[in-house]
């Protein structure tokens, strides 16, 4: 619809897309040029299959870390592993990982000194060791089924809320969920030393390892796929020693996650159809940071 036209009517007024002047057109009027500004898929990101596979390795290795942690807990609960031996292995891995983290950091500016890191580790170990008898009896009045259900929910929440885009440091929600689930499981172990060992393993797996992995992704990209593959193999192998059927299911899930899901993403990306035009909200592309100072 446009302005009225007739033999005695004035020449038609051209429509302009402005709001600051009155025009003889309805408010919802658009002319034939409206769809000339239609654009399709101007911001669609094109993915490469192997690049997506590489990124899904972070998710697969995190799932394997949870499987590996549950394997350690099961072995300690059955008495197949001595807590002192596991504790020494964790301490050795922590020292090696810290040294590798420092080497990969190179000449980067440190926000914390090594003395501060040592103080934090000492405080954590001292408090955890001191409160281990309390944590051991924390869930005595709770049924075992309820404890296992809470642990499963918390570990699942850890996987869902884990900041895969920026895993260093781990998100507070994901880390707290993992530690809460670890405390629930550790309270079902035979002794206080078992509880202390299990919580130390939880800190190593869920807090320190993501930081090292993030540093490897930044400074040594070639090492990240190998580290993810090794963690996945360790998770499947550890679970296979206790539950072969579960290890098979885990292996199928990891293969689906790392190979099939990226293939579906790349395939479905071709059918993506986003339209953009004058009906979109205005975007301010000018740098306005100078007004915030």
């Amino acid at each position: 619809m446009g302005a009225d036209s007739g033999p005695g009517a004035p020449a038609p007024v051209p429509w302009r897309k402005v709001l600051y002047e009155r025009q003889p057109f309805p408010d919802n009027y658009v002319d034939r040029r409206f769809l000339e500004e239609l654009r399709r898929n101007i911001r669609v990101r094109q993915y490469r299959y192997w690049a997506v596979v590489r990124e899904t390795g972070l998710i697969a290795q995190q799932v394997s870390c949870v499987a590996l942690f549950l394997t350690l807990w099961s072995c300690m609960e059955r008495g197949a592993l001595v807590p002192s031996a596991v504790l020494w292995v964790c301490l050795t891995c922590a020292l090696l990982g810290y040294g590798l983290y420092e080497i990969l950091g190179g000449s980067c500016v440190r926000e914390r000194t090594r003395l501060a890191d040592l103080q934090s580790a000492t405080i954590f170990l001292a408090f955890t060791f001191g409160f281990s008898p309390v944590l051991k009896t924390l869930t005595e009045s709770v049924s075992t089924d309820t404890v296992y259900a809470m642990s499963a929910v918390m570990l699942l929440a850890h996987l869902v809320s884990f900041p895969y885009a920026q895993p260093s440091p781990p998100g507070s929600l994901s880390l707290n969920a993992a530690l809460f689930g670890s405390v629930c499981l550790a309270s079902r172990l035979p002794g206080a030393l078992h509880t202390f060992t299990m919580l130390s393993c939880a800190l190593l797996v869920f807090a320190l390892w993501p930081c090292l992995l993030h540093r490897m992704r930044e400074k040594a990209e070639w090492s990240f796929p190998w580290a993810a593959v090794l963690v996945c193999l360790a998770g499947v192998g550890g679970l296979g020693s206790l539950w072969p059927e579960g290890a098979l299911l885990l292996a199928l899930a990891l293969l689906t996650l790392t190979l099939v899901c990226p293939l579906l993403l790349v395939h479905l990306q071709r059918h993506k159809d986003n339209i953009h035009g004058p009906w979109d909200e205005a975007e301010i592309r000018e740098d306005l940071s100078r007004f915030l100072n």
Side-chain angles (χ1 to χ4, degrees):
M1 296 178 61
D4 295 335
S5 59
V13 179
W15 176 76
R16 299 173 60 194
K17 191 172 63 175
V18 295
L19 296 176
Y20 52 82
E21 68 179 27
R22 185 180 299 276
Q23 302 184 76
F25 300 95
D27 293 339
N28 61 346
Y29 174 81
V30 292
D31 64 358
R32 299 179 180 178
R33 298 171 298 171
F34 182 71
L35 293 180
E36 292 180 357
E37 301 181 27
L38 175 66
R39 300 293 182 268
R40 295 180 181 271
N41 300 332
I42 59 176
R43 299 185 184 92
V44 173
R45 181 179 178 182
Q46 299 298 328
Y47 296 100
R48 293 181 299 173
Y49 175 72
W50 290 110
V52 179
V53 169
R54 184 178 182 278
E55 293 300 321
T56 55
L58 181 60
I59 306 175
Q61 70 84 31
Q62 197 64 28
V63 175
S64 300
C65 284
V66 174
L68 188 60
F69 177 79
L70 293 177
T71 301
L72 290 175
W73 173 84
S74 180
C75 290
M76 293 184 63
E77 195 265 341
R78 297 182 181 185
L81 290 177
V82 181
S84 58
V86 177
L87 194 59
W88 280 111
V89 172
C90 290
L91 180 60
T92 304
C93 292
L95 292 176
L96 293 176
Y98 185 79
L100 181 60
Y101 185 87
E102 290 295 317
I103 292 174
L104 292 177
S107 58
C108 295
V109 178
R110 290 176 51 90
E111 297 180 359
R112 291 168 52 92
T113 63
R114 293 182 177 88
L115 180 59
D117 294 337
L118 180 60
Q119 290 177 347
S120 300
T122 304
I123 292 174
F124 172 81
L125 294 176
F127 272 87
T128 305
F129 184 78
F131 283 99
S132 292
V134 179
L135 298 176
K136 170 67 180 63
T137 60
L138 188 63
T139 60
E140 279 189 350
S141 60
V142 183
S143 65
T144 302
D145 293 339
T146 303
V147 171
Y148 289 166
M150 288 192 303
S151 302
V153 171
M154 288 298 103
L155 292 177
L156 181 61
H158 163 73
L159 292 175
V160 172
S161 61
F162 187 82
Y164 296 100
Q166 188 73 17
S168 177
S172 58
L173 177 59
S174 63
L175 182 58
N176 290 334
L179 292 180
F180 181 79
S182 304
V183 170
C184 292
L185 291 176
S187 64
R188 283 297 185 264
L189 293 177
L193 184 59
H194 295 73
T195 303
F196 172 68
T197 303
M198 207 69 238
L199 293 179
S200 300
C201 292
L203 179 69
L204 183 66
V205 173
F206 299 122
L208 300 182
W209 168 246
C211 297
L212 176 59
L213 195 65
H214 180 66
R215 179 63 62 88
M216 294 171 64
R217 291 180 66 189
E218 286 186 339
K219 304 298 181 179
E221 294 184 2
W222 61 270
S223 63
F224 169 72
W226 294 104
V229 170
L230 289 177
V231 173
C232 292
L233 292 177
V236 173
L239 188 60
S241 63
L242 301 175
W243 185 25
E245 295 81 3
L248 179 60
L249 293 176
L250 177 61
L252 291 177
L254 294 179
L255 290 176
T256 302
L257 180 64
T258 55
L259 298 179
V260 179
C261 291
L263 183 62
L264 290 176
L265 176 63
V266 174
H267 177 72
L268 295 177
Q269 196 74 3
R270 307 172 187 172
H271 304 286
K272 196 168 186 178
D273 188 15
N274 290 341
I275 60 175
H276 303 270
W279 53 84
D280 291 340
E281 296 180 358
E283 296 182 5
I284 301 177
R285 301 185 178 181
E286 183 182 0
D287 185 14
L288 303 179
S289 59
R290 63 180 183 274
F291 297 107
L292 302 178
N293 297 330

